[in-house]
Amino acid sequence: MKTKRTKIAVLSLADINNYGDMFFPYLFREELKKRLPDAEIRLYTNVACHSVLYDTQKYDRELLGDYDAIILAGGETIHLWDEERWSNLYPDAGDGNISDIAFDWLTLDRPFKAYFSVGVHPNMQGHRQEALCAMNRLNYLSVRGELSKKILEGAIISHSNEIRIVPDLGWIFNQYIDRWEQEGKGKTALPQTPYMIFEMFYEFDENTLQFAAGALARFQEATAVRVVLLPIVQTKSTQALSSWNDYYPLSRLQEYAEGAFLLMPDQLDIFDLGRLLKHAKFYLGGSMHGAVTCLAYGKPAGNVLTWTAPKLQDVHGMRMRADCFITHWGRLPKLLDALNAEAEDEKAARYAAKYADYMRYRLSVEIELLCRQLTGNDK
């Protein structure tokens, strides 16, 4: 008699052009396949996607009725910010709310439902009922940082053992980047001299752009570390100057610097993005997963963003480096120098590598636990 295959639906909030979002569905499916090789795994996203790594179907509650497990994996997916932001980022979403990917399926009568390594947006503080509903209906719940946990709990001094904290999935990006590089994927030539990656989005103020260009130019001249401007944050937004498309501000930086930097092409594929980050001396920019990719290689990384993003506070605070996230551009020169000095500190590099190893270990432990629970083998 043939054994019934476990059917798993993996959900994610994905815009296929955005670096972190490109990774999550593929990476999580691969991690599940390692542990559950006989399972049937399907990917669902808020927008139907086709990429070099996978295809996804557009989320539809009706399609999830016969799955044994439904798992929302990765990203800042727990939010109710549909009209204010997400409808602009995902213009092809069609009917329904973007947040359906996080909440709509929770009332389905399925054997196993889970959130894994998700981020919780601050606007959930005003939606306590939805947060409680999520916590009560899930068989497994993990978030990727302390601030996400506190937003769900609704109070700073509360503590729920039902909400687990696990590393962001980006801590294992490097394992896939290494494999792709060994397979010869990625065509963009790497700089032949030491370089750092810089990226910015959300900032279009000309004074800020001019200041950042000057600080980067002075850093490059003083250190001989090439400044590489790498577009990472890309969406399908139809807005000409969308705050989530970073090629425009990076191209303006290049203009202010009179072509002194290396501006990479827009819309590079995930293979090239990964290789460029892997071989950089360090990373500094607005992208969380640009930073986490370098951190996963034991390299320094920092973030600069003028709003106090909880996810960036968590990434750097959990590694005792809150100073690596700045919210004022006037601090940019100092952080550039600090990251460069750290990259040349052999002792710091050894400890950073150990921390990255530990984060990967904790992710592996939690994915193993998740798989045992969804198959009923957690004894």
Side-chain angles (χ1 to χ4, degrees), residues 7-23:
K7 291 187 65 178
I8 304 171
V10 173
L11 314 182
S12 61
L13 181 66
D15 182 312
I16 205 62
N17 295 327
N18 195 28
Y19 176 65
D21 293 338
M22 280 192 280
F23 244 122

PDB file of all heavy atoms in Angstrom, residues 7-23:
ATOM      1  N   LYS A   7       1.599  16.848   2.408  1.00  0.00           N
ATOM      2  CA  LYS A   7       1.458  18.014   1.531  1.00  0.00           C
ATOM      3  C   LYS A   7       1.660  19.285   2.350  1.00  0.00           C
ATOM      4  O   LYS A   7       0.974  19.499   3.351  1.00  0.00           O
ATOM      5  CB  LYS A   7       0.071  18.027   0.873  1.00  0.00           C
ATOM      6  CG  LYS A   7      -0.146  16.921  -0.136  1.00  0.00           C
ATOM      7  CD  LYS A   7      -1.473  17.107  -0.880  1.00  0.00           C
ATOM      8  CE  LYS A   7      -1.472  18.363  -1.722  1.00  0.00           C
ATOM      9  NZ  LYS A   7      -2.730  18.527  -2.496  1.00  0.00           N
ATOM     10  N   ILE A   8       2.604  20.113   1.897  1.00  0.00           N
ATOM     11  CA  ILE A   8       2.956  21.324   2.631  1.00  0.00           C
ATOM     12  C   ILE A   8       2.816  22.529   1.707  1.00  0.00           C
ATOM     13  O   ILE A   8       3.383  22.548   0.613  1.00  0.00           O
ATOM     14  CB  ILE A   8       4.398  21.261   3.168  1.00  0.00           C
ATOM     15  CG1 ILE A   8       4.590  20.011   4.037  1.00  0.00           C
ATOM     16  CG2 ILE A   8       4.736  22.529   3.948  1.00  0.00           C
ATOM     17  CD1 ILE A   8       6.042  19.773   4.430  1.00  0.00           C
ATOM     18  N   ALA A   9       2.091  23.539   2.161  1.00  0.00           N
ATOM     19  CA  ALA A   9       2.006  24.812   1.446  1.00  0.00           C
ATOM     20  C   ALA A   9       2.916  25.817   2.153  1.00  0.00           C
ATOM     21  O   ALA A   9       2.775  26.048   3.356  1.00  0.00           O
ATOM     22  CB  ALA A   9       0.574  25.329   1.440  1.00  0.00           C
ATOM     23  N   VAL A  10       3.873  26.370   1.413  1.00  0.00           N
ATOM     24  CA  VAL A  10       4.772  27.391   1.957  1.00  0.00           C
ATOM     25  C   VAL A  10       4.335  28.741   1.403  1.00  0.00           C
ATOM     26  O   VAL A  10       4.284  28.944   0.185  1.00  0.00           O
ATOM     27  CB  VAL A  10       6.236  27.092   1.579  1.00  0.00           C
ATOM     28  CG1 VAL A  10       7.140  28.259   1.995  1.00  0.00           C
ATOM     29  CG2 VAL A  10       6.707  25.803   2.236  1.00  0.00           C
ATOM     30  N   LEU A  11       4.036  29.672   2.296  1.00  0.00           N
ATOM     31  CA  LEU A  11       3.567  30.997   1.907  1.00  0.00           C
ATOM     32  C   LEU A  11       4.650  32.032   2.157  1.00  0.00           C
ATOM     33  O   LEU A  11       5.428  31.915   3.107  1.00  0.00           O
ATOM     34  CB  LEU A  11       2.326  31.387   2.720  1.00  0.00           C
ATOM     35  CG  LEU A  11       1.203  30.355   2.885  1.00  0.00           C
ATOM     36  CD1 LEU A  11       0.057  30.972   3.674  1.00  0.00           C
ATOM     37  CD2 LEU A  11       0.723  29.839   1.544  1.00  0.00           C
ATOM     38  N   SER A  12       4.697  33.056   1.330  1.00  0.00           N
ATOM     39  CA  SER A  12       5.606  34.172   1.590  1.00  0.00           C
ATOM     40  C   SER A  12       5.083  35.426   0.918  1.00  0.00           C
ATOM     41  O   SER A  12       4.344  35.360  -0.072  1.00  0.00           O
ATOM     42  CB  SER A  12       7.035  33.865   1.104  1.00  0.00           C
ATOM     43  OG  SER A  12       7.053  33.642  -0.285  1.00  0.00           O
ATOM     44  N   LEU A  13       5.451  36.562   1.488  1.00  0.00           N
ATOM     45  CA  LEU A  13       5.099  37.863   0.922  1.00  0.00           C
ATOM     46  C   LEU A  13       6.230  38.244  -0.009  1.00  0.00           C
ATOM     47  O   LEU A  13       7.271  38.718   0.435  1.00  0.00           O
ATOM     48  CB  LEU A  13       4.939  38.893   2.037  1.00  0.00           C
ATOM     49  CG  LEU A  13       4.558  40.308   1.622  1.00  0.00           C
ATOM     50  CD1 LEU A  13       3.157  40.335   1.035  1.00  0.00           C
ATOM     51  CD2 LEU A  13       4.640  41.250   2.807  1.00  0.00           C
ATOM     52  N   ALA A  14       6.060  38.011  -1.290  1.00  0.00           N
ATOM     53  CA  ALA A  14       7.206  38.122  -2.190  1.00  0.00           C
ATOM     54  C   ALA A  14       6.925  39.032  -3.374  1.00  0.00           C
ATOM     55  O   ALA A  14       5.889  38.947  -4.014  1.00  0.00           O
ATOM     56  CB  ALA A  14       7.607  36.745  -2.705  1.00  0.00           C
ATOM     57  N   ASP A  15       7.866  39.895  -3.640  1.00  0.00           N
ATOM     58  CA  ASP A  15       7.950  40.602  -4.908  1.00  0.00           C
ATOM     59  C   ASP A  15       9.247  40.105  -5.521  1.00  0.00           C
ATOM     60  O   ASP A  15      10.318  40.300  -4.974  1.00  0.00           O
ATOM     61  CB  ASP A  15       7.998  42.108  -4.687  1.00  0.00           C
ATOM     62  CG  ASP A  15       8.039  42.862  -6.011  1.00  0.00           C
ATOM     63  OD1 ASP A  15       8.853  42.480  -6.865  1.00  0.00           O
ATOM     64  OD2 ASP A  15       7.273  43.816  -6.168  1.00  0.00           O
ATOM     65  N   ILE A  16       9.156  39.443  -6.631  1.00  0.00           N
ATOM     66  CA  ILE A  16      10.258  38.635  -7.134  1.00  0.00           C
ATOM     67  C   ILE A  16      11.522  39.430  -7.433  1.00  0.00           C
ATOM     68  O   ILE A  16      12.593  38.867  -7.570  1.00  0.00           O
ATOM     69  CB  ILE A  16       9.800  37.839  -8.376  1.00  0.00           C
ATOM     70  CG1 ILE A  16      10.643  36.588  -8.559  1.00  0.00           C
ATOM     71  CG2 ILE A  16       9.769  38.720  -9.581  1.00  0.00           C
ATOM     72  CD1 ILE A  16      10.548  35.610  -7.422  1.00  0.00           C
ATOM     73  N   ASN A  17      11.418  40.758  -7.530  1.00  0.00           N
ATOM     74  CA  ASN A  17      12.614  41.535  -7.842  1.00  0.00           C
ATOM     75  C   ASN A  17      13.396  41.979  -6.616  1.00  0.00           C
ATOM     76  O   ASN A  17      14.431  42.617  -6.752  1.00  0.00           O
ATOM     77  CB  ASN A  17      12.216  42.780  -8.655  1.00  0.00           C
ATOM     78  CG  ASN A  17      11.641  42.421 -10.002  1.00  0.00           C
ATOM     79  OD1 ASN A  17      12.052  41.441 -10.594  1.00  0.00           O
ATOM     80  ND2 ASN A  17      10.683  43.185 -10.465  1.00  0.00           N
ATOM     81  N   ASN A  18      12.900  41.692  -5.440  1.00  0.00           N
ATOM     82  CA  ASN A  18      13.544  42.178  -4.224  1.00  0.00           C
ATOM     83  C   ASN A  18      14.421  41.084  -3.628  1.00  0.00           C
ATOM     84  O   ASN A  18      13.979  39.949  -3.441  1.00  0.00           O
ATOM     85  CB  ASN A  18      12.474  42.626  -3.228  1.00  0.00           C
ATOM     86  CG  ASN A  18      13.029  43.469  -2.114  1.00  0.00           C
ATOM     87  OD1 ASN A  18      14.040  44.146  -2.285  1.00  0.00           O
ATOM     88  ND2 ASN A  18      12.383  43.422  -0.975  1.00  0.00           N
ATOM     89  N   TYR A  19      15.656  41.428  -3.285  1.00  0.00           N
ATOM     90  CA  TYR A  19      16.686  40.445  -2.943  1.00  0.00           C
ATOM     91  C   TYR A  19      16.261  39.440  -1.875  1.00  0.00           C
ATOM     92  O   TYR A  19      16.297  38.228  -2.089  1.00  0.00           O
ATOM     93  CB  TYR A  19      17.954  41.175  -2.507  1.00  0.00           C
ATOM     94  CG  TYR A  19      19.068  40.276  -2.027  1.00  0.00           C
ATOM     95  CD1 TYR A  19      19.692  39.390  -2.906  1.00  0.00           C
ATOM     96  CD2 TYR A  19      19.487  40.306  -0.706  1.00  0.00           C
ATOM     97  CE1 TYR A  19      20.716  38.564  -2.463  1.00  0.00           C
ATOM     98  CE2 TYR A  19      20.512  39.495  -0.259  1.00  0.00           C
ATOM     99  CZ  TYR A  19      21.118  38.617  -1.139  1.00  0.00           C
ATOM    100  OH  TYR A  19      22.129  37.799  -0.710  1.00  0.00           O
ATOM    101  N   GLY A  20      15.844  39.920  -0.712  1.00  0.00           N
ATOM    102  CA  GLY A  20      15.453  38.993   0.343  1.00  0.00           C
ATOM    103  C   GLY A  20      14.244  38.173  -0.037  1.00  0.00           C
ATOM    104  O   GLY A  20      14.190  36.954   0.191  1.00  0.00           O
ATOM    105  N   ASP A  21      13.254  38.833  -0.649  1.00  0.00           N
ATOM    106  CA  ASP A  21      12.039  38.120  -1.035  1.00  0.00           C
ATOM    107  C   ASP A  21      12.305  37.043  -2.074  1.00  0.00           C
ATOM    108  O   ASP A  21      11.609  36.025  -2.117  1.00  0.00           O
ATOM    109  CB  ASP A  21      11.011  39.108  -1.586  1.00  0.00           C
ATOM    110  CG  ASP A  21      10.487  40.056  -0.530  1.00  0.00           C
ATOM    111  OD1 ASP A  21      10.581  39.720   0.659  1.00  0.00           O
ATOM    112  OD2 ASP A  21       9.998  41.140  -0.891  1.00  0.00           O
ATOM    113  N   MET A  22      13.287  37.271  -2.944  1.00  0.00           N
ATOM    114  CA  MET A  22      13.631  36.248  -3.933  1.00  0.00           C
ATOM    115  C   MET A  22      14.106  34.974  -3.265  1.00  0.00           C
ATOM    116  O   MET A  22      13.874  33.869  -3.750  1.00  0.00           O
ATOM    117  CB  MET A  22      14.733  36.766  -4.864  1.00  0.00           C
ATOM    118  CG  MET A  22      14.256  37.673  -5.969  1.00  0.00           C
ATOM    119  SD  MET A  22      15.551  37.950  -7.213  1.00  0.00           S
ATOM    120  CE  MET A  22      16.552  39.200  -6.409  1.00  0.00           C
ATOM    121  N   PHE A  23      14.796  35.137  -2.156  1.00  0.00           N
ATOM    122  CA  PHE A  23      15.423  34.003  -1.486  1.00  0.00           C
ATOM    123  C   PHE A  23      14.440  33.133  -0.703  1.00  0.00           C
ATOM    124  O   PHE A  23      14.522  31.900  -0.711  1.00  0.00           O
ATOM    125  CB  PHE A  23      16.493  34.517  -0.520  1.00  0.00           C
ATOM    126  CG  PHE A  23      17.892  34.086  -0.871  1.00  0.00           C
ATOM    127  CD1 PHE A  23      18.884  35.021  -1.103  1.00  0.00           C
ATOM    128  CD2 PHE A  23      18.223  32.735  -0.945  1.00  0.00           C
ATOM    129  CE1 PHE A  23      20.185  34.631  -1.411  1.00  0.00           C
ATOM    130  CE2 PHE A  23      19.512  32.344  -1.252  1.00  0.00           C
ATOM    131  CZ  PHE A  23      20.498  33.283  -1.476  1.00  0.00           C
TER     132      PHE A  23
END
